[in-house]
Amino acid sequence: MESKQLHSIIGIWTNACRFLLAAVFIFSGFVKAVDPLGTQYKIQDYLEVFGWAASVPAFLPFLASVLQAMVEFCLGVYLLFGIRRRMTTLFVVLIMGVMTPLTLWLALSNPISDCGCFGDAVTLTNWETFGKNVLLLIAAVSVFKWGNRITPLVTKRFDWLVAMYTFLYISGMTLYCYRELPVFDFRPYHIGADIRKGMEIPEGEKPTVYETRFILQKDGVEKEFTLENYPDSTWTFVDSKTMVKEQGYEPPVHDFSIIRQEDGEDITDEVLDDDNYTFLLVAHQLSQADDSTIDLINELYDYSVEHGYQFYCLTSSPDSDIEDWQERTGAEYPFCLMDDITLKTMIRSNPGLMLLKNGVVINKWSVNSLPDEYVLTDRLEKLPLAQINEKTFSHKVVLVLAWFVFPLLFFSMVDVIWEHFHRKKKLKENRTK
């Protein structure tokens, strides 16, 4: 009797661990898949911490980002359905066996404030991440040891179909979000976000003090300047960096500062307080920017001038790269300087386009989906693209669930019906014998 109870307890524990791991891996893999560039930037942060950034080929962080998202998501779904049990439990315990000591080191040394395991969707401290991984490691060891107690949700006849569809789904999601923009934007510059409000400090909180330093060059000599002692236009911009001088409360938007390249003037308030529409062409590095749509970008600038809208190109590129971009593209729009990390956070496209009004993000486009003359048929006030779609998030949730959950439920139902039909047929055959 005791042996039977123990067997039952182990089975319940194993399946509870299996569903916990499945939920975490599916969520972790999905948020990485919808923002593959964000995961790439986090991997690059790790490489810099270890001192490997210069020796690793540029394409590897992105490849690692895509593979990490796909592997985590697929393992989560395989655990959920109880398929490929031996392979899945082995991979899960190996992953947690590596990640747990790594996050302990992160918690002790704190070289990176956020491990990035859940992208921008959920931010954990390094100690919270380590605690979470200890729990998941225990669960991983349990499902690996008692993997034969995992109850599959589909028979072996259909497990290949679930496995294949899961791989195709997450591959398609990753590719779409890389080519366009993340389906779900968890950053403080999402559509509908009020940038000005995101910069506010709650009453009683002490703000973090930052200092932006600009590296400029003149007569072959490079020097660092702050906004207080920014020199005249005879100096050439090389780079900029923002540093924490004194840690305090950090609002979601803490480094949004627009400096006009022409004269070094800070026009942040001018842009955020403008009650008219403003186009922001965001290109964190012009030397790496996609120039396949330069004609369309120039047409957008002409449209802005014609209708009285502001248009700025925000970049962290040096003056030489800006001049090269102007020569190659014939760009006549004004350029402004901004922190590189801020630009990458604003939009996951190089270049990408944002539409602001009163400091609120009205719309965003990747370089592959810029509005053209067939869309911009009138003033923005009269066009749907210049109105915030309040139903966007809920509609996306429904679509994502529809494309993933419903097919898998369909496969499961077909499997159950087929199994029921097969059993009845076998029972009939046995009766006739």
Tab-separated table of all heavy atoms in Angstrom, residues 220-259:
chain	number	residue	atom	x	y	z
A	220	GLY	N	42.334	66.541	-35.157
A	220	GLY	CA	42.902	65.236	-34.822
A	220	GLY	C	42.915	64.899	-33.343
A	220	GLY	O	43.402	63.844	-32.946
A	221	VAL	N	42.370	65.778	-32.513
A	221	VAL	CA	42.360	65.560	-31.066
A	221	VAL	C	40.923	65.285	-30.599
A	221	VAL	O	40.002	66.034	-30.940
A	221	VAL	CB	42.918	66.794	-30.313
A	221	VAL	CG1	42.855	66.558	-28.800
A	221	VAL	CG2	44.344	67.079	-30.758
A	222	GLU	N	40.744	64.204	-29.832
A	222	GLU	CA	39.433	63.861	-29.296
A	222	GLU	C	39.312	64.322	-27.845
A	222	GLU	O	40.251	64.171	-27.052
A	222	GLU	CB	39.187	62.346	-29.368
A	222	GLU	CG	38.966	61.823	-30.773
A	222	GLU	CD	38.520	60.365	-30.797
A	222	GLU	OE1	38.378	59.787	-29.696
A	222	GLU	OE2	38.311	59.817	-31.894
A	223	LYS	N	38.135	64.900	-27.520
A	223	LYS	CA	37.875	65.343	-26.149
A	223	LYS	C	36.440	65.009	-25.767
A	223	LYS	O	35.583	64.879	-26.633
A	223	LYS	CB	38.099	66.861	-26.015
A	223	LYS	CG	39.565	67.279	-26.037
A	223	LYS	CD	39.709	68.777	-25.765
A	223	LYS	CE	39.307	69.125	-24.342
A	223	LYS	NZ	39.547	70.552	-24.020
A	224	GLU	N	36.220	64.863	-24.458
A	224	GLU	CA	34.877	64.592	-23.952
A	224	GLU	C	34.237	65.879	-23.448
A	224	GLU	O	34.895	66.706	-22.799
A	224	GLU	CB	34.924	63.567	-22.812
A	224	GLU	CG	35.114	62.139	-23.279
A	224	GLU	CD	34.858	61.142	-22.159
A	224	GLU	OE1	34.452	61.576	-21.068
A	224	GLU	OE2	35.066	59.936	-22.384
A	225	PHE	N	32.927	66.041	-23.766
A	225	PHE	CA	32.184	67.211	-23.321
A	225	PHE	C	30.842	66.762	-22.746
A	225	PHE	O	30.327	65.694	-23.072
A	225	PHE	CB	31.920	68.169	-24.495
A	225	PHE	CG	33.169	68.732	-25.124
A	225	PHE	CD1	33.784	68.083	-26.189
A	225	PHE	CD2	33.717	69.918	-24.656
A	225	PHE	CE1	34.930	68.599	-26.772
A	225	PHE	CE2	34.863	70.450	-25.248
A	225	PHE	CZ	35.472	69.786	-26.307
A	226	THR	N	30.262	67.583	-21.892
A	226	THR	CA	28.912	67.376	-21.391
A	226	THR	C	28.011	68.415	-22.041
A	226	THR	O	28.477	69.266	-22.809
A	226	THR	CB	28.857	67.521	-19.856
A	226	THR	OG1	29.213	68.861	-19.505
A	226	THR	CG2	29.812	66.541	-19.181
A	227	LEU	N	26.710	68.356	-21.727
A	227	LEU	CA	25.788	69.348	-22.286
A	227	LEU	C	26.135	70.755	-21.816
A	227	LEU	O	25.906	71.742	-22.519
A	227	LEU	CB	24.346	69.010	-21.872
A	227	LEU	CG	23.686	67.828	-22.590
A	227	LEU	CD1	22.330	67.515	-21.970
A	227	LEU	CD2	23.527	68.126	-24.076
A	228	GLU	N	26.703	70.843	-20.601
A	228	GLU	CA	27.012	72.162	-20.042
A	228	GLU	C	28.145	72.865	-20.788
A	228	GLU	O	28.168	74.083	-20.896
A	228	GLU	CB	27.385	72.027	-18.557
A	228	GLU	CG	26.199	71.738	-17.641
A	228	GLU	CD	25.693	70.310	-17.787
A	228	GLU	OE1	26.483	69.437	-18.190
A	228	GLU	OE2	24.490	70.085	-17.526
A	229	ASN	N	29.100	72.091	-21.292
A	229	ASN	CA	30.234	72.724	-21.977
A	229	ASN	C	30.367	72.269	-23.433
A	229	ASN	O	31.465	72.196	-23.976
A	229	ASN	CB	31.530	72.447	-21.219
A	229	ASN	CG	31.908	70.968	-21.219
A	229	ASN	OD1	31.089	70.115	-21.546
A	229	ASN	ND2	33.136	70.661	-20.852
A	230	TYR	N	29.198	71.951	-24.053
A	230	TYR	CA	29.210	71.501	-25.452
A	230	TYR	C	29.809	72.603	-26.332
A	230	TYR	O	29.379	73.767	-26.271
A	230	TYR	CB	27.787	71.177	-25.917
A	230	TYR	CG	27.724	70.275	-27.134
A	230	TYR	CD1	27.645	68.903	-26.991
A	230	TYR	CD2	27.755	70.811	-28.414
A	230	TYR	CE1	27.578	68.063	-28.109
A	230	TYR	CE2	27.701	69.987	-29.530
A	230	TYR	CZ	27.610	68.608	-29.366
A	230	TYR	OH	27.566	67.795	-30.473
A	231	PRO	N	30.824	72.263	-27.163
A	231	PRO	CA	31.534	73.297	-27.926
A	231	PRO	C	30.776	73.745	-29.179
A	231	PRO	O	29.663	73.300	-29.457
A	231	PRO	CB	32.835	72.588	-28.308
A	231	PRO	CG	32.427	71.157	-28.448
A	231	PRO	CD	31.366	70.930	-27.407
A	232	ASP	N	31.424	74.604	-29.955
A	232	ASP	CA	30.807	75.129	-31.174
A	232	ASP	C	30.874	74.100	-32.300
A	232	ASP	O	31.397	72.998	-32.133
A	232	ASP	CB	31.481	76.443	-31.598
A	232	ASP	CG	32.987	76.285	-31.789
A	232	ASP	OD1	33.402	75.264	-32.374
A	232	ASP	OD2	33.755	77.168	-31.348
A	233	SER	N	30.343	74.485	-33.459
A	233	SER	CA	30.212	73.555	-34.587
A	233	SER	C	31.525	73.223	-35.277
A	233	SER	O	31.545	72.435	-36.220
A	233	SER	CB	29.230	74.138	-35.619
A	233	SER	OG	29.669	75.404	-36.064
A	234	THR	N	32.636	73.799	-34.822
A	234	THR	CA	33.934	73.462	-35.430
A	234	THR	C	34.427	72.093	-34.968
A	234	THR	O	35.363	71.546	-35.533
A	234	THR	CB	34.995	74.533	-35.086
A	234	THR	OG1	35.133	74.608	-33.651
A	234	THR	CG2	34.578	75.889	-35.642
A	235	TRP	N	33.780	71.558	-33.931
A	235	TRP	CA	34.130	70.222	-33.444
A	235	TRP	C	33.274	69.182	-34.167
A	235	TRP	O	32.108	69.420	-34.455
A	235	TRP	CB	33.892	70.116	-31.939
A	235	TRP	CG	34.912	70.869	-31.128
A	235	TRP	CD1	34.936	72.201	-30.883
A	235	TRP	CD2	36.058	70.313	-30.487
A	235	TRP	NE1	36.021	72.533	-30.111
A	235	TRP	CE2	36.738	71.380	-29.854
A	235	TRP	CE3	36.584	69.033	-30.370
A	235	TRP	CZ2	37.910	71.193	-29.128
A	235	TRP	CZ3	37.748	68.834	-29.636
A	235	TRP	CH2	38.405	69.912	-29.034
A	236	THR	N	33.851	68.009	-34.418
A	236	THR	CA	33.163	66.924	-35.124
A	236	THR	C	32.739	65.840	-34.130
A	236	THR	O	33.558	65.371	-33.336
A	236	THR	CB	34.075	66.289	-36.195
A	236	THR	OG1	34.502	67.299	-37.099
A	236	THR	CG2	33.334	65.209	-36.965
A	237	PHE	N	31.460	65.456	-34.193
A	237	PHE	CA	30.942	64.424	-33.283
A	237	PHE	C	31.528	63.057	-33.646
A	237	PHE	O	31.580	62.668	-34.810
A	237	PHE	CB	29.413	64.378	-33.379
A	237	PHE	CG	28.788	63.276	-32.579
A	237	PHE	CD1	28.577	63.433	-31.219
A	237	PHE	CD2	28.430	62.080	-33.176
A	237	PHE	CE1	27.996	62.418	-30.461
A	237	PHE	CE2	27.856	61.056	-32.432
A	237	PHE	CZ	27.642	61.230	-31.079
A	238	VAL	N	31.951	62.308	-32.610
A	238	VAL	CA	32.506	60.970	-32.804
A	238	VAL	C	31.621	59.911	-32.147
A	238	VAL	O	31.222	58.934	-32.755
A	238	VAL	CB	33.945	60.871	-32.244
A	238	VAL	CG1	34.472	59.433	-32.382
A	238	VAL	CG2	34.861	61.845	-32.958
A	239	ASP	N	31.257	60.133	-30.887
A	239	ASP	CA	30.456	59.153	-30.162
A	239	ASP	C	29.855	59.824	-28.929
A	239	ASP	O	30.214	60.952	-28.580
A	239	ASP	CB	31.336	57.967	-29.731
A	239	ASP	CG	30.525	56.727	-29.385
A	239	ASP	OD1	29.285	56.780	-29.521
A	239	ASP	OD2	31.131	55.724	-28.974
A	240	SER	N	28.939	59.115	-28.271
A	240	SER	CA	28.361	59.611	-27.018
A	240	SER	C	28.119	58.442	-26.085
A	240	SER	O	27.939	57.304	-26.531
A	240	SER	CB	27.041	60.355	-27.279
A	240	SER	OG	26.049	59.465	-27.733
A	241	LYS	N	28.105	58.713	-24.791
A	241	LYS	CA	27.831	57.669	-23.808
A	241	LYS	C	27.155	58.300	-22.601
A	241	LYS	O	27.448	59.436	-22.225
A	241	LYS	CB	29.115	56.948	-23.394
A	241	LYS	CG	30.223	57.864	-22.894
A	241	LYS	CD	31.498	57.080	-22.635
A	241	LYS	CE	32.619	58.011	-22.168
A	241	LYS	NZ	33.894	57.288	-21.935
A	242	THR	N	26.216	57.546	-22.020
A	242	THR	CA	25.488	58.018	-20.853
A	242	THR	C	25.874	57.174	-19.652
A	242	THR	O	25.830	55.943	-19.721
A	242	THR	CB	23.961	57.933	-21.085
A	242	THR	OG1	23.632	58.718	-22.238
A	242	THR	CG2	23.198	58.460	-19.900
A	243	MET	N	26.251	57.823	-18.556
A	243	MET	CA	26.720	57.117	-17.367
A	243	MET	C	25.885	57.507	-16.158
A	243	MET	O	25.343	58.608	-16.092
A	243	MET	CB	28.194	57.442	-17.105
A	243	MET	CG	29.133	57.061	-18.236
A	243	MET	SD	30.827	57.580	-17.914
A	243	MET	CE	30.636	59.363	-17.878
A	244	VAL	N	25.791	56.584	-15.198
A	244	VAL	CA	25.080	56.854	-13.943
A	244	VAL	C	26.050	57.533	-12.976
A	244	VAL	O	27.095	56.984	-12.639
A	244	VAL	CB	24.536	55.548	-13.325
A	244	VAL	CG1	23.884	55.825	-11.979
A	244	VAL	CG2	23.544	54.887	-14.267
A	245	LYS	N	25.684	58.729	-12.526
A	245	LYS	CA	26.498	59.434	-11.540
A	245	LYS	C	26.043	59.093	-10.128
A	245	LYS	O	26.849	58.972	-9.210
A	245	LYS	CB	26.409	60.952	-11.757
A	245	LYS	CG	27.161	61.453	-12.979
A	245	LYS	CD	27.140	62.962	-13.056
A	245	LYS	CE	27.931	63.606	-11.936
A	245	LYS	NZ	27.986	65.077	-12.053
A	246	GLU	N	24.716	58.954	-9.957
A	246	GLU	CA	24.168	58.646	-8.637
A	246	GLU	C	22.881	57.840	-8.817
A	246	GLU	O	21.938	58.302	-9.451
A	246	GLU	CB	23.886	59.947	-7.876
A	246	GLU	CG	23.485	59.740	-6.432
A	246	GLU	CD	23.244	61.055	-5.711
A	246	GLU	OE1	23.697	62.104	-6.209
A	246	GLU	OE2	22.585	61.018	-4.654
A	247	GLN	N	22.863	56.607	-8.255
A	247	GLN	CA	21.725	55.708	-8.448
A	247	GLN	C	20.527	56.136	-7.600
A	247	GLN	O	20.671	56.513	-6.450
A	247	GLN	CB	22.124	54.273	-8.087
A	247	GLN	CG	21.074	53.228	-8.423
A	247	GLN	CD	20.832	53.086	-9.915
A	247	GLN	OE1	21.771	52.995	-10.710
A	247	GLN	NE2	19.582	53.101	-10.315
A	248	GLY	N	19.345	56.082	-8.192
A	248	GLY	CA	18.110	56.402	-7.492
A	248	GLY	C	16.963	55.697	-8.189
A	248	GLY	O	17.154	54.661	-8.833
A	249	TYR	N	15.739	56.245	-8.089
A	249	TYR	CA	14.596	55.655	-8.801
A	249	TYR	C	14.803	55.839	-10.300
A	249	TYR	O	15.159	56.919	-10.761
A	249	TYR	CB	13.289	56.331	-8.380
A	249	TYR	CG	12.095	55.882	-9.202
A	249	TYR	CD1	11.427	54.700	-8.921
A	249	TYR	CD2	11.657	56.643	-10.284
A	249	TYR	CE1	10.347	54.278	-9.678
A	249	TYR	CE2	10.573	56.232	-11.055
A	249	TYR	CZ	9.922	55.053	-10.746
A	249	TYR	OH	8.861	54.642	-11.515
A	250	GLU	N	14.609	54.759	-11.013
A	250	GLU	CA	14.816	54.810	-12.457
A	250	GLU	C	13.478	54.685	-13.169
A	250	GLU	O	12.881	53.611	-13.203
A	250	GLU	CB	15.751	53.685	-12.893
A	250	GLU	CG	16.273	53.848	-14.304
A	250	GLU	CD	17.401	52.875	-14.604
A	250	GLU	OE1	18.487	53.005	-14.010
A	250	GLU	OE2	17.166	51.972	-15.429
A	251	PRO	N	12.972	55.778	-13.753
A	251	PRO	CA	11.701	55.707	-14.489
A	251	PRO	C	11.874	54.877	-15.756
A	251	PRO	O	13.003	54.660	-16.215
A	251	PRO	CB	11.403	57.178	-14.815
A	251	PRO	CG	12.732	57.839	-14.820
A	251	PRO	CD	13.565	57.126	-13.804
A	252	PRO	N	10.784	54.386	-16.331
A	252	PRO	CA	10.878	53.574	-17.554
A	252	PRO	C	11.653	54.272	-18.672
A	252	PRO	O	12.412	53.640	-19.390
A	252	PRO	CB	9.406	53.365	-17.941
A	252	PRO	CG	8.651	53.518	-16.677
A	252	PRO	CD	9.390	54.540	-15.876
A	253	VAL	N	11.437	55.583	-18.828
A	253	VAL	CA	12.171	56.369	-19.831
A	253	VAL	C	13.115	57.297	-19.077
A	253	VAL	O	12.677	58.233	-18.412
A	253	VAL	CB	11.214	57.193	-20.716
A	253	VAL	CG1	11.996	58.013	-21.734
A	253	VAL	CG2	10.224	56.279	-21.429
A	254	HIS	N	14.411	57.024	-19.146
A	254	HIS	CA	15.361	57.815	-18.364
A	254	HIS	C	16.509	58.395	-19.182
A	254	HIS	O	17.379	59.068	-18.645
A	254	HIS	CB	15.956	56.952	-17.229
A	254	HIS	CG	16.586	55.683	-17.712
A	254	HIS	ND1	15.895	54.484	-17.738
A	254	HIS	CD2	17.815	55.415	-18.202
A	254	HIS	CE1	16.676	53.534	-18.210
A	254	HIS	NE2	17.854	54.082	-18.500
A	255	ASP	N	16.524	58.131	-20.454
A	255	ASP	CA	17.651	58.615	-21.256
A	255	ASP	C	17.198	59.145	-22.613
A	255	ASP	O	17.906	59.040	-23.603
A	255	ASP	CB	18.684	57.499	-21.457
A	255	ASP	CG	18.041	56.176	-21.867
A	255	ASP	OD1	16.842	56.191	-22.210
A	255	ASP	OD2	18.725	55.142	-21.848
A	256	PHE	N	15.991	59.719	-22.634
A	256	PHE	CA	15.447	60.265	-23.877
A	256	PHE	C	15.899	61.717	-24.009
A	256	PHE	O	15.332	62.618	-23.402
A	256	PHE	CB	13.921	60.174	-23.874
A	256	PHE	CG	13.280	60.486	-25.200
A	256	PHE	CD1	13.084	59.500	-26.149
A	256	PHE	CD2	12.879	61.781	-25.504
A	256	PHE	CE1	12.498	59.787	-27.376
A	256	PHE	CE2	12.286	62.085	-26.721
A	256	PHE	CZ	12.101	61.087	-27.658
A	257	SER	N	16.947	61.927	-24.774
A	257	SER	CA	17.509	63.263	-24.945
A	257	SER	C	17.905	63.450	-26.409
A	257	SER	O	18.726	62.688	-26.935
A	257	SER	CB	18.739	63.438	-24.039
A	257	SER	OG	19.347	64.689	-24.247
A	258	ILE	N	17.311	64.437	-27.068
A	258	ILE	CA	17.545	64.674	-28.497
A	258	ILE	C	18.411	65.926	-28.667
A	258	ILE	O	18.014	67.026	-28.269
A	258	ILE	CB	16.211	64.856	-29.252
A	258	ILE	CG1	15.312	63.642	-29.042
A	258	ILE	CG2	16.465	65.078	-30.739
A	258	ILE	CD1	13.926	63.779	-29.645
A	259	ILE	N	19.586	65.743	-29.246
A	259	ILE	CA	20.517	66.852	-29.471
A	259	ILE	C	20.636	67.102	-30.967
A	259	ILE	O	21.005	66.201	-31.727
A	259	ILE	CB	21.923	66.537	-28.901
A	259	ILE	CG1	21.818	66.109	-27.440
A	259	ILE	CG2	22.847	67.734	-29.060
A	259	ILE	CD1	21.237	67.138	-26.520
